[in-house]
Amino acid sequence: MGVVLSGLLGLLSGCAPGGEETAEEAAVVPCEVEPTYERETLPEDIEWQTNDRDPVFASPAAVKGGTYHAALTSFPLTFRVVGPDSNSSFRGAILGNQLGLIGIHPNTENIIPELATHWAYAADKKTMYFRLDPAARWSDGHPVTSDDFVYTLEFMRSKHIIAPWYNDYYTQEIDRVIVYDDRTFAIVGTKAQPDLHLKITIGPTPRHFYCRLDENFVRDYNWRIAPNTGPYQMSRFKKGRYVVFERKKDWWARERRYFKNRYNVDRVRFTVIRDVNLQWEYFLKAKLDSFGLTMPQFWHIKSNTPVVAKGYVEKIWFFNDTPQSAQGLWLNQDREIFKDLRLREAFAHAMNIEKVIATVLRNDYFRLESAYVGYGRYTNEGIKARRFDLARVDRLMQAAGWQRGPDGIWRQDGQRFSVEVAYSREEHTPRLVVLKEEARKAGIELRLQRLDSAAQYKKVMEKRHDVGWLGWSTGMRPHFWEFWHSANAHRPQTNNITNTDDPELDRLIDRYRASLDETERIELAREIQARVHAIGAFVPTFMVPYFREAYWRWWRFPEPPATRLSDSLFDPFGSASGGLFWLDPVRYAETRQAMRQGVTFEPVTRRDTTFKTDGSS
């Protein structure tokens, strides 16, 4: 499968396949616009920093060449990265080729250079200074300059991009960009912030490409290929069928310390294969180069196949150390049945998560203890998820004045403890069936409602669910305001899908957001997590602190083969830890000949625990 990119908004709709288009045909004729702002004088007391000391994580044995074949479950609706229909996961492939000012080392988490060679902090804790790499270039040859960051604010604040979130963020969080010369500038936030480098390092936007920014932006740029600063550029595509990225042979950063020996394949081809099982068949025929095996059915059953047994395909189980997605059951407290804490706790104790792990998931997954696991010192390790406990359910329900009905389900005043669980993925049905059967023993009825991903997302975001079965993406630090503050409760299209409205929690979250002291923020983060646990509107389920993949044996990797923050061996683009793999032409020829002649190799299944933590034991 390689990297399978699918997203809630990535469904193909009304996009008829046409002829192949190239990057040149999809380009926009650049225009020259002279900036109108004044340059300022650089302060004299700046203490510049850089990082050329952290260990490299690519292999000097890597060689260039070949094509990596991956799959898309649907063709993107646009190549724009902002505006309508842009929030599909294919957006990650485009942005993966857009470098930031600075990056985060995937093993040490220290700042490392990307577009900027040096950076510095102002005493006000809301301003950062940057000095650009003089070699930095857009893919069309234009130099990256300070003006590209000035234009980011103009672009992101424009009503023409039809992106309210970006309009708001780049207005409410970023104050201005101060230009000192073509390579030196400062970004000023609207307020002092902790972890400033995670909040304020905006990316560049090429004024010379987007300078015709008007009410026709969405239409005019829908299929235009914007220039980028990274190692690959989209070179050709056929709508509904495939997209091809080509490696830049003369990429300006190819010899930089943290980019050297990376991004090795000449091209990456994404082919639309809508069904995962069909993707597996393509992989078995070597029409795709890798396939994710994290799902137990694939790891334990489907991978028992001749190409694995004969050693043509190898398998890996790689433990990483990343923040864990808040996967679980999200209870809507605006539903009458979940307004009572005792019923929320009873619901949690009726969920036999351990049985699902032991049976359906073959003990491959681990119990998630809270919504904030994997954030280092910011995680409250003392929180433990409520376990399946029938006696505890009985005590809670009786204390709330409920009684068992003739069908065994708890009742009160004509209301049954019967709730709908909205979910989207068919492969999750067996997990939910077990939970449903076990919950019935506790006197709680789960009505399973499977929707397509877009419909489920819409229902949950509009707060029309009883229980939502889903997980959220993660960041470098825990985020609380979006999910738990009352400012986001009782109204649609916010991430507070539990409608939590708790004054004490609000107070803690407000203090956390305002604090600039790391020690205080860590303590507040732990208090917030304890309060979230006490409220009981989220039932944690599983965490997967690893990835598992199958790949044809001609692919090679560094040692270790991935980083602490990697989520795949085959991320072809990402600046943090992507592009570490390469094609070995000798092993390719050897394997192809062996397959023709019936020669076999020793089967290989590798378990790499380099970054395994105690929490995944």
Side-chain angles (χ1 to χ4, degrees):
M1 178 173 63
V3 178
V4 176
L5 302 173
S6 60
L8 295 176
L9 302 180
L11 303 175
L12 183 62
S13 175
C15 183
E20 180 177 84
E21 295 188 52
T22 66
E24 291 77 14
E25 293 167 334
V28 169
V29 177
C31 57
E32 298 298 332
V33 178
E34 288 296 326
T36 58
Y37 50 84
E38 296 290 333
R39 300 188 177 198
E40 300 189 18
T41 302
L42 185 68
E44 296 181 356
D45 58 348
I46 292 178
E47 296 182 7
W48 291 107
Q49 303 177 31
T50 191
N51 181 355
D52 56 4
R53 301 175 304 278
D54 275 14
V56 297
F57 42 93
S59 172
V63 297
K64 306 295 185 187
T67 299
Y68 173 65
H69 298 85
L72 291 169
T73 55
S74 59
F75 197 84
L77 294 176
T78 182
F79 291 155
R80 286 180 286 98
V81 294
V82 295
D85 301 321
S86 65
N87 196 28
S88 73
S89 59
F90 186 76
R91 180 174 182 266
I94 299 173
L95 291 180
N97 284 292
Q98 187 67 278
L99 298 188
L101 281 165
I102 54 178
I104 301 297
H105 191 287
N107 292 331
T108 69
E109 294 191 18
N110 293 327
I111 298 175
I112 56 177
E114 288 195 8
L115 288 172
T117 59
H118 295 77
W119 51 91
Y121 297 88
D124 63 7
K125 295 190 176 182
K126 64 179 183 179
T127 303
M128 279 190 75
Y129 301 95
F130 299 95
R131 183 181 292 163
L132 292 173
D133 191 317
R137 292 288 185 277
W138 294 100
S139 48
D140 58 9
H142 281 69
V144 179
T145 69
S146 300
D147 181 59
D148 293 317
F149 297 86
V150 174
Y151 190 61
T152 291
L153 291 195
E154 297 177 27
F155 181 86
M156 291 299 185
R157 290 170 176 174
S158 171
K159 64 181 181 180
H160 297 311
I161 68 173
I162 312 181
W165 188 92
Y166 289 97
N167 292 164
D168 180 75
Y169 182 86
Y170 282 86
T171 302
Q172 301 299 322
E173 300 296 327
I174 309 297
D175 178 25
R176 59 195 172 118
V177 174
I178 304 172
V179 174
Y180 304 108
D181 59 42
D182 284 346
R183 289 178 46 220
T184 313
F185 61 94
I187 301 175
V188 184
T190 56
K191 57 183 177 293
Q193 300 241 33
D195 299 319
L196 188 62
H197 62 283
L198 299 178
K199 309 286 181 60
I200 208 171
T201 52
I202 63 177
T205 304
R207 186 189 295 271
H208 66 274
F209 179 80
Y210 287 116
C211 58
R212 296 184 180 89
L213 187 59
D214 56 26
E215 64 275 6
N216 298 316
F217 165 79
V218 170
R219 181 196 66 196
D220 290 350
Y221 288 90
N222 202 61
W223 297 111
R224 299 301 183 184
I225 298 173
N228 63 34
T229 58
Y232 291 85
Q233 176 63 294
M234 202 183 306
S235 59
R236 62 185 187 277
F237 63 93
K238 188 170 185 180
K239 293 177 184 176
R241 301 287 297 278
Y242 60 80
V243 181
V244 177
F245 288 78
E246 297 278 346
R247 181 170 58 84
K248 302 171 187 175
K249 301 297 191 296
D250 57 350
W251 183 43
W252 66 271
R254 64 189 181 280
E255 294 298 317
R256 297 298 185 266
R257 176 177 178 82
Y258 301 107
F259 293 133
K260 191 174 182 178
N261 299 313
R262 295 173 61 190
Y263 312 115
N264 301 302
V265 294
D266 288 339
R267 66 195 60 82
V268 178
R269 181 185 176 97
F270 295 106
T271 302
V272 176
I273 307 172
R274 301 179 187 280
D275 181 75
V276 173
N277 291 305
L278 186 58
Q279 291 173 8
W280 176 245
E281 296 302 319
Y282 271 64
F283 171 70
L284 294 179
K285 296 175 182 177
K287 294 181 179 180
L288 295 177
D289 285 305
S290 64
F291 192 93
L293 298 177
T294 298
M295 295 288 291
Q297 180 185 16
F298 280 98
W299 180 262
H300 293 286
I301 299 173
K302 290 202 170 186
S303 63
N304 290 326
T305 186
V307 293
V308 175
K310 294 177 180 179
Y312 307 142
V313 165
E314 300 179 351
K315 297 164 58 180
I316 188 169
W317 187 334
F318 186 92
F319 283 83
N320 51 22
D321 181 18
T322 63
Q324 293 297 308
S325 172
Q327 300 274 353
L329 297 143
W330 298 79
L331 315 184
N332 185 353
Q333 294 173 88
D334 278 358
R335 292 290 196 253
E336 190 64 36
I337 204 162
F338 287 132
K339 290 182 178 179
D340 190 326
L341 171 60
R342 293 168 296 188
L343 269 66
R344 298 196 298 271
E345 290 186 346
F347 181 90
H349 285 298
M351 298 297 105
N352 198 344
I353 307 300
E354 281 68 31
K355 184 170 183 178
V356 176
I357 293 173
T359 56
V360 179
L361 300 175
R362 296 170 173 258
N363 282 319
D364 286 353
Y365 289 14
F366 299 84
R367 182 68 198 267
L368 184 69
E369 300 293 354
S370 77
Y372 297 97
V373 171
Y375 292 90
R377 292 178 298 161
Y378 284 79
T379 292
N380 187 333
E381 301 286 357
I383 296 173
K384 300 299 177 185
R386 296 173 178 89
R387 265 37 181 193
F388 184 66
D389 188 334
L390 295 177
R392 181 68 176 154
V393 174
D394 285 348
R395 290 195 297 272
L396 287 163
M397 295 305 295
Q398 290 168 9
W402 289 61
Q403 297 179 338
R404 291 265 196 161
D407 59 354
I409 303 301
W410 293 101
R411 293 173 181 261
Q412 184 186 70
D413 299 331
Q415 182 181 22
R416 299 169 70 247
F417 201 153
S418 175
V419 294
E420 186 177 81
V421 181
Y423 72 108
S424 64
R425 298 182 62 178
E426 176 58 34
E427 58 265 34
H428 289 181
T429 299
R431 308 176 189 186
L432 283 160
V433 167
V434 171
L435 291 182
K436 177 179 179 176
E437 293 170 349
E438 294 295 295
R440 190 166 189 87
K441 297 175 184 177
I444 297 175
E445 180 180 66
L446 304 184
R447 306 191 313 275
L448 306 185
Q449 182 189 43
R450 180 175 173 254
L451 304 168
D452 69 60
S453 58
Q456 189 230 10
Y457 182 75
K458 180 179 176 65
K459 180 169 186 171
V460 171
M461 293 303 288
E462 291 179 351
K463 317 294 176 69
R464 294 184 289 107
H465 63 293
D466 295 340
V467 180
W469 169 271
L470 71 155
W472 293 100
S473 59
T474 61
M476 293 291 293
R477 295 286 184 264
H479 292 275
F480 302 114
W481 183 82
E482 300 93 325
F483 300 102
W484 305 108
H485 199 283
S486 64
N488 299 307
H490 319 304
R491 60 192 184 95
Q493 301 304 322
T494 74
N495 290 353
N496 187 349
I497 60 174
T498 62
N499 285 307
T500 294
D501 186 348
D502 182 78
E504 172 62 16
L505 186 55
D506 285 354
R507 184 183 67 82
L508 291 169
I509 292 172
D510 290 340
R511 287 180 58 199
Y512 176 81
R513 297 183 81 200
S515 175
L516 300 178
D517 181 81
E518 184 179 34
T519 301
E520 180 184 39
R521 282 172 57 81
I522 289 170
E523 182 58 34
L524 285 168
R526 293 172 178 173
E527 289 185 48
I528 290 169
Q529 292 164 53
R531 184 64 188 157
V532 167
H533 175 73
I535 289 169
F538 171 63
V539 181
T541 54
F542 324 112
M543 67 174 184
V544 186
Y546 58 79
F547 59 81
R548 298 190 296 208
E549 287 180 296
Y551 54 89
W552 289 87
R553 69 183 294 273
W554 48 74
W555 292 104
R556 307 298 292 272
F557 314 94
E559 187 58 45
T563 72
R564 186 166 70 85
L565 300 182
S566 295
D567 57 12
S568 170
L569 291 186
F570 292 95
D571 173 5
F573 305 136
S575 63
S577 57
L580 299 180
F581 60 94
W582 70 93
L583 188 147
D584 184 330
V586 174
R587 284 172 70 98
Y588 179 85
E590 176 187 62
T591 306
R592 286 295 193 181
Q593 182 177 11
M595 292 168 68
R596 289 191 296 268
Q597 297 177 350
V599 176
T600 63
F601 304 99
E602 187 70 23
V604 174
T605 296
R606 177 174 178 177
R607 181 182 171 97
D608 192 296
T609 60
T610 303
F611 301 106
K612 192 171 185 288
T613 64
D614 292 340
S616 55
S617 57

